[in-house]
Amino acid sequence: GTAQIGVTGLAVMGRNLARNFARNGFTVAVHNRTAARTRELIEGFGTEGSFVPAESAEEFVAALERPRRLIIMVKAGDPTDAVIEEFAPLLEPGDVIIDGGNAHFADTRRRERELREAGIHFVGVGISGGEEGALHGPSIMPGGSRESYASLGPLLEKIAAKAPDGTPCTTHIGPDGAGHFVKMVHNGIEYADMQLIAEAYHLLREVAGYSPAKIAETFRGWNTGRLDSYLIEITAEVLAHTDAATGQPFVDIVADRAEQKGTGRWTVQIALDLGVPVSGIAEAVFARSLSGHAELRAASRDLPGPTPRPLGDEEAARFADQVEQALYASKIVSYTQGFHQIQAGSDAYDWGIDPGAVASIWRAGCIIRAAFLDRIRAAYDTQPELPSLLSDKQFAEEIGAAQDDWRAVVADTARQGVPAPGFAAALAYYDALRARRLPAALTQGQRDFFGAHTYRRTDRDGSFHTLWGGDRSEERTG
Ligand code: NDP
């Protein structure tokens, strides 16, 4: 065969990825279960580069140069297993199967193990950036063996987005499921970022009394500063958009029930398993699910609450500045939590993930791309052993400077009755980490009382139990 890479699964993602490879000078074998899609690709875009269309799996495999590299871009879950079962018998040791779908990292670990026995490299790759990213340069998060990256990396580096300094937005994340794990956390952080921006919008609307157009303008201003990011940019676009049918702001005619495909939920489920407090991401997932409970919301509409007090122009402008501070501080916290989860996953599965490299490849191509990620990369590059992003001196200073406004905003949300669970959870996390003493001591006392679960002491080693039902003397249990 002559094709350096093959793509099977030619729906929007696979088609655009294949075109991206072809536009970068690679010969690309293309295949799809339903052959009509393959023909459409060739008819529509065949002149963009060198494609080798294949109708059958055998034809597809024969079109690839050795060691073969084939990317699966089909619906995640059972379809991915079906496609692997179809192709694996046609491959040879040393060949590389790449799954670019949104797989759960546990599935990737299983598939990698199974194929390793046959000498086939299985590489789970997280791809972010949607269909536009796939075509023009996504952020690519490959797992799998180091050996497979030696063969695959140069191709991925060619088609990946480039950060402002020219670095390709891809790197070997770590073995087996590491790439899909990092993609999952990326999506969790994306949920948190979106929620925080939505809360900022809601507060500017309900408390400052701004129109969607005025909020769009405010966000455009923020986007020239430290909050410079793709999500703030598109939020301004959405807010400035007018519905053609009614002439109303677009945001006012969209049903306020947010949907989800599930990767944010996975992030929280896995965080619970790993014992990592990702409260900001969890609040974002819960906020979406709460919004979807139409009957519950209808039944609660008349519950008592404060009447928001309208702000004067100057007061409103001052409040908007405070919201920017609250948004930035909360964003630092949600990235702190997300990177904690990446480090916990890396420790649990022995992946050796470099957090600075992760921040680096999120700088372009993906949904959470932002100027801010350059700062995270710099923090980890200069201090690889950083226990938390909040321990970075610069972030700590920035949060210190933002905290008065952040606290004022969270207090206002409570007083005015406008929900801001993301801002509030981020602040609670920050204050809990700062606390010299936590009420966890009392929790341990309660657990020892009802369940003899024992506790540790601040002044001596060992575990202890108090005879709560007896004379309340203390015994050492270990
Ligand atoms: P879809 O998830 O809609 O999947 C459609 C493709 O899967 C078609 O090519 C279809 O073939 C194929 N397929 C489905 N079932 C089978 C099966 N049993 N055997 C063989 N082929 C099958 O396509 P997308 O392009 O949206 O996404 C592809 C992957 O990329 C998914 O895993 C998705 O989660 C992931 N992803 C998507 C992003 C996005 O923005 N859309 C972003 C990042 C990742 P046929 O034409 O024959 O029906």
Side-chain angles (χ1 to χ4, degrees), residues 126-142:
I127 300 181
S128 176
E131 43 184 296
E132 282 300 300
L135 183 59
H136 300 292
S139 173
I140 310 178
M141 294 151 255

Side-chain angles (χ1 to χ4, degrees), residues 166-428:
T167 319
C169 288
T170 186
T171 189
H172 182 232
I173 301 286
D176 58 79
H180 274 135
F181 185 92
V182 163
K183 169 70 193 322
M184 173 188 79
V185 177
H186 164 285
N187 285 28
I189 292 175
E190 174 186 311
Y191 273 53
D193 260 350
M194 290 170 70
Q195 173 64 20
L196 293 173
I197 294 170
E199 290 177 16
Y201 152 76
H202 201 195
L203 289 169
L204 293 179
R205 191 90 195 258
E206 301 288 326
V207 179
Y210 282 9
S211 68
K214 171 112 179 152
I215 301 171
E217 195 186 305
T218 307
F219 280 9
R220 285 198 184 109
W222 292 356
N223 208 35
T224 62
R226 58 190 180 173
L227 283 168
D228 176 2
S229 63
Y230 172 72
L231 279 171
I232 294 272
E233 180 191 324
I234 64 159
T235 305
E237 297 280 326
V238 173
L239 287 172
H241 183 57
T242 303
D243 174 51
T246 60
Q248 287 196 56
F250 169 79
V251 70
D252 287 348
I253 56 92
V254 176
D256 61 346
R257 294 187 298 273
E259 295 174 8
Q260 47 185 321
K261 282 199 191 160
T263 40
R265 187 174 59 230
W266 285 351
T267 314
V268 178
Q269 285 169 339
I270 300 304
L272 291 172
D273 293 343
L274 291 169
V276 184
V278 293
S279 49
I281 300 169
E283 288 295 353
V285 175
F286 287 141
R288 289 197 194 186
S289 67
L290 187 151
S291 76
H293 283 282
E295 327 76 56
L296 187 59
R297 291 175 61 195
S300 315
R301 203 144 283 151
D302 295 327
L303 291 174
T307 309
R309 181 182 60 85
L311 302 183
D313 285 354
E314 236 169 77
E315 242 185 329
R318 166 82 195 109
F319 180 72
D321 289 343
Q322 290 183 318
V323 171
E324 194 268 351
Q325 299 276 3
L327 175 53
Y328 187 68
S330 302
K331 185 176 165 88
I332 294 176
V333 167
S334 58
Y335 281 73
T336 299
Q337 296 181 345
F339 275 89
H340 183 190
Q341 181 160 0
I342 288 174
Q343 288 193 303
S346 181
D347 291 346
Y349 297 102
D350 225 355
W351 284 327
I353 296 175
D354 170 1
V358 171
S360 174
I361 67 165
W362 287 349
R363 288 182 298 164
C366 64
I367 305 297
I368 64 170
R369 62 185 181 261
F372 179 71
L373 283 156
D374 221 11
R375 305 271 320 282
I376 299 181
R377 180 191 58 88
Y380 280 117
D381 280 358
T382 48
Q383 314 146 85
E385 301 303 318
L386 205 59
S388 141
L389 269 185
L390 287 172
S391 4
D392 174 67
K393 194 158 157 283
Q394 269 196 27
F395 281 128
E397 276 172 18
E398 281 182 312
I399 263 201
Q403 65 152 334
D404 287 349
D405 285 338
W406 188 16
R407 293 179 193 287
V409 168
V410 171
D412 276 343
T413 68
R415 261 196 298 269
Q416 305 261 29
V418 181
F423 287 180
L427 183 57

